[in-house]
Amino acid sequence: MTHKNPAIILIDPQLGENIGMVARAMLNCGFTDLRLVRPRDGWPSEHATRASSGALDKGVVVTLFDTTSAAIADCHRVYATTARPRDMTKNVYTARSAMVEAHEKENEIIGILFGAERSGLQNEDIALANGIITLPLNPEFTSLNLAQAVLLVTYEYLMQGDDTPDTQVATNLANKDTINQFSDRLIDTLDDNKFFRSEDLRPTTQRNLRNMLSRMEWTDQDIKTLHGIVSALTKN
Amino acid sequence: MTHKNPAIILIDPQLGENIGMVARAMLNCGFTDLRLVRPRDGWPSEHATRASSGALDKGVVVTLFDTTSAAIADCHRVYATTARPRDMTKNVYTARSAMVEAHEKENEIIGILFGAERSGLQNEDIALANGIITLPLNPEFTSLNLAQAVLLVTYEYLMQGDDTPDTQVATNLANKDTINQFSDRLIDTLDDNKFFRSEDLRPTTQRNLRNMLSRMEWTDQDIKTLHGIVSALTKN
């Protein structure tokens, strides 16, 4: 990766298990800089290691701090993640818009703050941030797991640099001649089998058949299979 | 919400705790239709209820099924979520591009398949889907928690918003039960006609047939026509 991915900073995290799941979510998205401010149950944590599914051994580096100020000392830009915007004069971002901005600032060290599981961030911590990230979730059920909140933000950052094509269309599509040859054969075979009951309806029915076959995205292999089906069904 | 959000369908989920976390992630994003196919540890599950943080009491409705076919019977469009694209002829989507498409199809019932925690989806399940969703995560650490995979997909749907203009005209797409009944009949008929030359290849060939048929956007009228074709071709 050309960018240095933002640091994830957990303030007063409670359960080691949640810290481990945060590390796992981070590494899923290529994040490796995890900073802990006053983890309640101490550090290192066996619960965290177990819940991280290897992320704490395979790339995520943890650093401990006593204060939020110390944890963000080297950062040029800091976002505070909250369930809802507080009464403060700061820009409020969605995870997506914040990560679009963060991804553009490739020469900055960026930190993203997450509060304790139950209480979230204190106003004193939010006061240190440049902007606030809120997650536009179901307002009737906002109880979001800490690791899931981290996942959505780190995923949005990852998606900014992702060059995967949106949709990779199935390859080896049959060309129209291949399809039409099959349509011709099918119609002839159906004719032999008295499929077209009335001469009046024959043109409409034939057109409907061609319509149906030409609308689909057949591959060459599909058309071979269809030929095989017709052969099998007409064999006496 | 004006849209009926897609159904989340877990095939062979193992831990009740993971099912509960899936329900929580779903409700965070306004999803309420959770379908379980053969949950290993049975249902209901105290572990699931506890891990759902109330989501299983507050809106997520769980339905149990014995087979994937039964679970998607009413669906018009089905996506299969996999860690990486398999060797199949189907469109491959990112979570975002799939949910852009799903959100546009407001008159369709949409299902999204997720496999077991360790093994993922079986090829037989993928064969029933219209397209494949892959999550473009860190290729060096793709161990993604089930609930987190569900969260990313449901979040992408939520992010499409309720006011996306709908430009897609609804067609009368056949549901999966209608399509699968035809597939069953076709395979039986082909069997009678000695289409499957070797017992070794039979499962693969059958899966390829189902794959081919389930990938397409058949209307109810198309399926009637296909039945008519088989009847016509097998009449002696």
Side-chain angles (χ1 to χ4, degrees):
Chain A
M1 316 215 174
T2 53
H3 287 63
K4 174 159 172 42
N5 287 357
I8 298 299
I9 305 166
L10 308 183
I11 318 292
D12 295 312
Q14 300 176 316
L15 297 173
E17 189 188 358
N18 286 335
I19 299 172
M21 288 170 65
V22 164
R24 182 179 183 179
M26 286 174 61
L27 197 55
N28 283 145
C29 299
F31 280 56
T32 56
D33 184 350
L34 175 58
R35 308 180 183 190
L36 306 179
V37 178
R38 301 178 299 264
R40 186 189 66 184
D41 297 341
W43 195 261
S45 155
E46 271 185 41
H47 288 294
T49 303
R50 209 174 308 129
S52 80
S53 286
L56 286 170
D57 305 319
K58 282 186 198 155
V60 172
V61 177
V62 175
T63 321
L64 284 179
F65 296 91
D66 291 329
T67 64
T68 305
S69 300
I72 63 171
D74 63 333
C75 295
H76 303 100
R77 185 180 301 267
V78 171
Y79 300 94
T81 313
T82 69
R84 63 208 76 76
R86 318 280 178 95
D87 183 21
M88 289 196 171
T89 315
K90 282 192 205 287
N91 288 348
V92 177
Y93 299 80
T94 62
R96 187 164 297 174
S97 65
M99 292 304 100
V100 167
E101 180 180 85
H103 198 268
E104 284 168 356
K105 310 289 180 184
E106 56 181 289
N107 293 311
E108 298 182 5
I109 297 178
I110 296 190
I112 308 170
L113 306 179
F114 293 84
E117 287 91 331
R118 285 182 183 281
S119 49
L121 286 171
Q122 305 294 309
N123 285 338
E124 287 68 25
D125 296 321
I126 298 172
L128 300 174
N130 298 73
I132 291 173
I133 296 173
T134 58
L135 294 163
L137 301 178
N138 177 5
E140 288 161 27
F141 186 77
T142 54
S143 161
L144 190 69
N145 174 280
L146 181 57
Q148 295 189 320
V150 171
L151 178 68
L152 292 183
V153 174
T154 55
Y155 168 76
E156 286 288 7
Y157 188 87
L158 177 70
M159 290 301 285
Q160 292 310 311
D162 182 60
D163 53 3
T164 307
D166 284 345
T167 306
Q168 295 163 265
V169 176
T171 49
N172 305 319
L173 289 188
N175 66 29
K176 290 302 178 190
D177 187 44
T178 306
I179 294 167
N180 285 334
Q181 281 184 28
F182 174 74
S183 302
D184 292 344
R185 177 188 174 190
L186 180 63
I187 285 169
D188 284 350
T189 311
L190 289 170
D191 218 356
D192 293 343
N193 284 271
K194 314 267 183 288
F195 181 73
F196 305 107
R197 293 187 195 145
S198 101
E199 282 304 319
D200 287 354
L201 286 174
R202 173 195 293 264
T204 307
T205 309
Q206 289 193 0
R207 192 173 62 233
N208 288 346
L209 276 172
R210 287 189 193 279
N211 234 330
M212 175 179 93
L213 290 164
S214 62
R215 208 178 71 230
M216 309 293 178
E217 295 187 345
W218 304 103
T219 64
D220 284 323
Q221 183 55 53
D222 290 338
I223 298 293
K224 277 185 197 151
T225 304
L226 293 177
H227 276 293
I229 290 172
V230 172
S231 298
L233 297 185
T234 52
K235 188 175 57 186
N236 288 324
Chain B
M1 315 217 174
T2 52
H3 286 63
K4 175 158 172 42
N5 288 358
I8 298 299
I9 304 165
L10 307 183
I11 318 292
D12 295 311
Q14 300 175 314
L15 297 173
E17 189 187 357
N18 285 336
I19 299 171
M21 287 170 67
V22 164
R24 182 179 183 179
M26 285 174 62
L27 197 56
N28 283 146
C29 298
F31 280 55
T32 56
D33 184 350
L34 175 57
R35 308 178 183 192
L36 305 179
V37 178
R38 301 177 299 263
R40 186 190 67 184
D41 296 342
W43 194 262
S45 155
E46 271 185 40
H47 288 293
T49 303
R50 209 174 308 129
S52 80
S53 286
L56 286 169
D57 305 319
K58 282 186 198 158
V60 172
V61 177
V62 174
T63 320
L64 283 178
F65 295 92
D66 291 328
T67 63
T68 305
S69 298
I72 62 170
D74 63 332
C75 295
H76 302 100
R77 186 179 301 268
V78 171
Y79 300 95
T81 313
T82 69
R84 63 207 77 76
R86 318 280 179 97
D87 183 21
M88 288 196 170
T89 313
K90 281 189 207 287
N91 289 350
V92 177
Y93 299 80
T94 62
R96 187 165 297 172
S97 65
M99 293 304 100
V100 166
E101 179 180 86
H103 197 270
E104 284 169 355
K105 310 287 181 183
E106 59 179 285
N107 293 311
E108 297 183 7
I109 297 178
I110 297 192
I112 308 170
L113 305 179
F114 294 83
E117 285 91 331
R118 285 183 182 283
S119 49
L121 286 171
Q122 305 293 312
N123 285 338
E124 285 66 26
D125 296 320
I126 298 173
L128 300 174
N130 297 75
I132 292 173
I133 296 174
T134 59
L135 294 163
L137 300 179
N138 177 5
E140 288 160 28
F141 186 77
T142 54
S143 160
L144 190 70
N145 173 280
L146 181 57
Q148 295 190 321
V150 170
L151 178 68
L152 292 183
V153 174
T154 56
Y155 167 76
E156 286 288 7
Y157 188 87
L158 177 71
M159 289 301 285
Q160 292 310 311
D162 292 343
D163 51 359
T164 306
D166 177 25
T167 54
Q168 294 286 348
V169 177
T171 52
N172 299 307
L173 288 189
N175 68 29
K176 292 300 180 186
D177 191 41
T178 305
I179 294 167
N180 284 333
Q181 280 185 29
F182 174 73
S183 303
D184 292 343
R185 179 191 173 188
L186 178 62
I187 285 169
D188 284 350
T189 311
L190 289 170
D191 219 355
D192 294 342
N193 284 272
K194 313 266 183 289
F195 179 73
F196 305 106
R197 291 180 199 156
S198 103
E199 280 305 310
D200 287 355
L201 287 174
R202 173 194 295 263
T204 307
T205 310
Q206 290 194 1
R207 193 172 64 230
N208 288 345
L209 276 172
R210 286 189 194 279
N211 233 327
M212 176 179 91
L213 289 164
S214 62
R215 211 178 69 228
M216 311 293 179
E217 297 186 347
W218 303 104
T219 63
D220 285 323
Q221 183 55 51
D222 292 337
I223 299 293
K224 276 186 198 151
T225 303
L226 293 177
H227 276 294
I229 290 173
V230 172
S231 298
L233 297 185
T234 52
K235 189 176 56 185
N236 289 323

